[in-house]
Amino acid sequence: MSIGRHSRTYTRISASGGLGVAFSDILETVSVQGLAWHLALRDIRLRYRRTVIGPFWTVLSTSLFVAALGLVTTLLFGRDPYTFIPEFAAAYFIWVTIVAFVLEAAVAFTGAEQVIRSMRSPLTLHIERVIIRNTVVFFHLLVVFVPLAVFLNVPVHFAAVGWWLFGIVLLVANGMWIGLLTAIINTRFRDFYQLVATALQILFFLVPIFWDPALLEVNAPLVHSILVVYNPFYMQIQVIREPMIGQAITLNNYLVLAIIALAGSVIAVAALGFAKRRIGVWL
Amino acid sequence: MSFESEIQVKDVDIDIPVFDGERSLKKTLFSVATGAGRIEKNRRASIVRALRDINFSAQRGDRIGLIGPNGAGKTTLLRLLTGAYLPTRGDVRIFGRISSLLAVGVGMDPDDSGYDNILTCAMLMGLTRKEAEGVRDSVIEFADLGDFIYMPFRTYSMGMMLRLSFAVATAIEPDILLIDEVIAVGDAAFSAKASARIEGLVSQSSIMVIASHSDAIIRQFCNRVIFLENGRILFDGDLEPGLEAYTKWTQGQFVPEA
């Protein structure tokens, strides 16, 4: 026939699993990028249907949170608002994006149950949809950072824009594999969502987002090395934030996150090979 | 065109694990409703043997009616052919582009207009955005919903949802069209239109498989019957003998061929 991706006219549906099945799922998703973007942008449009300011509700609520907690922290810990507020804002925007990636991916399959059980669609499409959607929201949030940077005279490191983009690429890459893995596990064990949600809530306090890691280095060096030096969540924040607030680039962070992204992808693809046949009946 | 659509299903089993619910109660209920011995229990889950030893093939021009009691495996078989369920054992080969209408409104967002949902749904069925925009007018014309096409999908009646879903599923010119019970909710005018469109598709090259409890629908759309019961094929053949076999089975007089 003339149109469509199924116009390749032969389909074989067999009991096999494994890497081949996982890769063909991913290839199929790669071939329907138009659909992935269409679904992601539709999600954003429909989430705020009939509201007046639409997606800027996310921007508004996140900014108010930053302002409130920023103010309290500045007063409590006596930090300089000119350096602290932009630091905290950037870290928090990255953090909410990580949380949205993981939690929304966790329900990506269960939320698309009808489509998965009644149509032929690659599973990774539903993960990519979540990642695109929240990456777009992340760029919305960054709009808030611009006036902040101007008014507070933040020394944005424009020459490091390449590193900044690479940091975002790492965020997306890690979001993809973690999202896929979370979605698979949560489809089978529905407690997983609650578990992850709880863990992320606690992690918000454990990752140096609103507190000063330098203080910890003085008070508790061992905890400092766990929560600050070897904390992949903090690395993920750093690789995007360093260029934004004019800090020196920590090359090691990029390297470690790239290795995590590669290793994690291998695990997630293997999990997909195992689960591809089962997701439909687990739903 | 030299292309011939074809379906080959070979030795297919599908087991479906069920993780939730009170198992002993469920087991009791299921064994009454769908015949004993179909749900196997192990430590982790109940396993429903949804399909067993399914073998058949279909060639162009076949319009197959899937019949059988509730829980016989009709929907599971359609999901298998769609590619949504993969078999536990066995192999399915399908030559041709598949389009399925297993439930009304799949891929359609209730808050989005019918107009926008056409695009999403057609893209989910495998069209590019351009192609989806290309078929939109013909979908709107066939669905014949008037100004409702610009209203949110949630405001539609079941019949209107069906019109739109059917229009999209058939507008993409499938070689193989799979339809579940849903088609029964259409009114007489829609039924006639749907019938004509299916005739058109099947005469081109297509295969159609439709599951239904209505003899009228099976007679209207089909020329072949597959009678499923308890996950197995009990009869596969011509229309009238198939319906007769099912009637006999309901009366407890059916004797399977050796």
Side-chain angles (χ1 to χ4, degrees):
Chain A
M1 289 308 228
S2 49
I3 49 179
R5 77 177 188 275
H6 300 320
S7 51
R8 67 161 198 223
T9 47
Y10 175 59
T11 318
R12 184 164 174 219
I13 306 164
S14 71
S16 60
L19 292 184
V21 178
F23 281 121
S24 63
D25 186 286
I26 292 165
L27 280 180
E28 207 174 324
T29 297
V30 170
S31 74
V32 291
Q33 286 307 294
L35 176 59
W37 279 87
H38 175 77
L39 290 172
L41 297 180
R42 185 186 70 159
D43 288 340
I44 294 175
R45 178 165 54 84
L46 290 180
R47 187 182 292 177
Y48 300 100
R49 79 194 162 91
R50 292 163 67 182
T51 61
V52 177
I53 61 167
F56 282 92
W57 268 114
T58 312
V59 175
L60 188 68
S61 67
T62 315
S63 313
L64 286 177
F65 184 85
V66 167
L69 193 62
L71 188 68
V72 171
T73 314
T74 317
L75 295 174
L76 267 182
F77 299 112
R79 296 185 65 177
D80 173 15
Y82 282 85
T83 57
F84 174 69
I85 298 282
E87 256 184 66
F88 171 55
Y92 187 66
F93 294 160
I94 299 161
W95 177 253
V96 291
T97 306
I98 295 174
V99 171
F101 277 179
V102 178
L103 289 187
E104 291 182 23
V107 291
F109 296 159
T110 48
E113 172 173 354
Q114 273 232 316
V115 170
I116 293 173
R117 299 207 326 159
S118 315
M119 281 176 150
R120 184 192 158 75
S121 69
L123 291 173
T124 39
L125 168 69
H126 304 288
I127 306 298
E128 198 198 339
R129 169 186 181 180
V130 168
I131 301 294
I132 293 176
R133 175 169 86 206
N134 288 297
T135 307
V136 171
V137 172
F138 175 66
F139 280 98
H140 279 165
L141 290 175
L142 285 181
V143 173
V144 179
F145 191 80
V146 176
L148 214 58
V150 173
F151 288 121
L152 299 181
N153 218 358
V154 178
V156 176
H157 194 1
F158 288 105
V161 65
W163 289 107
W164 181 71
L165 284 173
F166 186 36
I168 293 174
V169 168
L170 288 171
L171 175 71
V172 167
N174 279 306
M176 290 282 226
W177 76 261
I178 295 175
L180 177 57
L181 210 54
T182 323
I184 291 171
I185 299 172
N186 190 59
T187 306
R188 173 63 185 80
F189 302 101
R190 303 289 165 101
D191 295 277
F192 196 65
Y193 178 88
Q194 303 299 337
L195 184 76
V196 172
T198 312
L200 286 170
Q201 229 163 28
I202 295 167
L203 272 171
F204 174 68
F205 296 101
L206 294 184
V207 180
I209 294 167
F210 67 92
W211 47 270
D212 186 1
L215 278 176
L216 197 63
E217 193 170 11
V218 179
N219 296 335
L222 179 68
V223 180
H224 176 264
S225 65
I226 297 170
L227 294 186
V228 180
V229 184
Y230 300 111
N231 183 346
F233 291 98
Y234 190 52
M235 289 179 189
Q236 186 60 71
I237 288 171
Q238 289 286 72
V239 290
I240 300 174
R241 187 175 64 170
E242 279 166 351
M244 292 169 73
I245 57 174
Q247 284 178 350
I249 304 295
T250 317
L251 284 176
N252 256 344
N253 288 345
Y254 293 87
L255 186 66
V256 172
L257 286 172
I259 291 169
I260 292 178
L262 276 177
S265 300
V266 171
I267 297 170
V269 168
L272 178 63
F274 172 79
K276 171 78 177 167
R277 179 163 65 81
R278 296 171 171 86
I279 292 294
V281 295
W282 280 348
L283 286 166
Chain B
M1 100 188 79
S2 61
F3 168 77
E4 290 281 314
S5 42
E6 190 177 350
I7 301 175
Q8 295 167 3
V9 180
K10 206 167 173 299
D11 300 325
V12 164
D13 289 358
I14 292 187
D15 293 343
I16 300 179
V18 178
F19 300 108
D20 53 358
E22 216 287 275
R23 266 176 237 148
S24 56
L25 175 67
K26 209 166 210 168
K27 183 171 177 155
T28 328
L29 288 175
F30 266 77
S31 58
V32 174
T34 65
R38 203 150 156 243
I39 299 178
E40 183 184 279
K41 228 171 100 175
N42 69 19
R43 263 187 317 118
R44 288 181 304 161
S46 309
I47 293 176
V48 180
R49 300 187 179 288
L51 290 177
R52 272 289 168 275
D53 300 323
I54 301 297
N55 282 288
F56 72 91
S57 64
Q59 280 75 35
R60 82 180 262 187
D62 278 353
R63 286 167 289 155
I64 302 176
L66 284 179
I67 55 173
N70 293 128
K74 302 186 292 294
T75 300
T76 308
L77 182 54
L78 289 174
R79 285 189 172 145
L80 171 79
L81 297 176
T82 303
Y85 278 7
L86 303 184
T88 312
R89 266 174 299 280
D91 201 32
V92 179
R93 281 154 202 265
I94 292 174
F95 299 86
R97 194 214 325 231
I98 308 157
S99 166
S100 58
L101 182 57
L102 302 194
V104 166
V106 176
M108 304 224 178
D109 193 292
D111 291 323
D112 222 351
S113 68
Y115 186 82
D116 288 325
N117 270 317
I118 293 171
L119 207 62
T120 313
C121 202
M123 287 170 81
L124 275 168
M125 287 184 174
L127 303 201
T128 64
R129 192 188 177 94
K130 243 197 182 123
E131 291 165 341
E133 278 165 357
V135 299
R136 178 142 67 182
D137 285 345
S138 77
V139 171
I140 292 172
E141 193 195 325
F142 186 88
D144 198 15
L145 298 174
D147 286 341
F148 263 97
I149 200 75
Y150 302 108
M151 299 282 280
F153 192 65
R154 68 188 143 83
T155 63
Y156 290 17
S157 71
M158 267 309 267
M160 293 162 77
M161 290 180 177
L162 170 68
R163 279 166 179 255
L164 193 61
S165 292
F166 182 88
V168 179
T170 52
I172 68 165
E173 296 175 23
D175 304 310
I176 293 165
L177 181 62
L178 310 167
I179 303 178
D180 208 347
E181 319 272 3
V182 296
I183 201 152
V185 299
D187 59 19
F190 170 76
S191 193
K193 239 174 150 180
S195 191
R197 181 164 261 199
I198 287 174
E199 289 289 346
L201 284 173
V202 175
S203 68
Q204 275 170 29
S205 88
S206 299
I207 298 172
M208 187 195 63
V209 184
I210 182 167
S212 180
H213 288 290
S214 151
D215 282 7
I217 284 179
I218 298 289
R219 284 205 175 88
Q220 184 183 359
F221 291 105
C222 305
N223 56 13
R224 174 181 166 188
V225 155
I226 291 181
F227 169 25
L228 280 168
E229 196 268 325
N230 213 6
R232 290 170 192 274
I233 293 179
L234 286 193
F235 177 94
D236 177 2
D238 290 337
L239 178 64
E240 290 304 331
L243 291 174
E244 202 175 306
Y246 185 28
T247 312
K248 274 188 179 168
W249 180 86
T250 15
Q251 293 161 353
Q253 293 167 355
F254 178 74
V255 185
E257 293 165 50

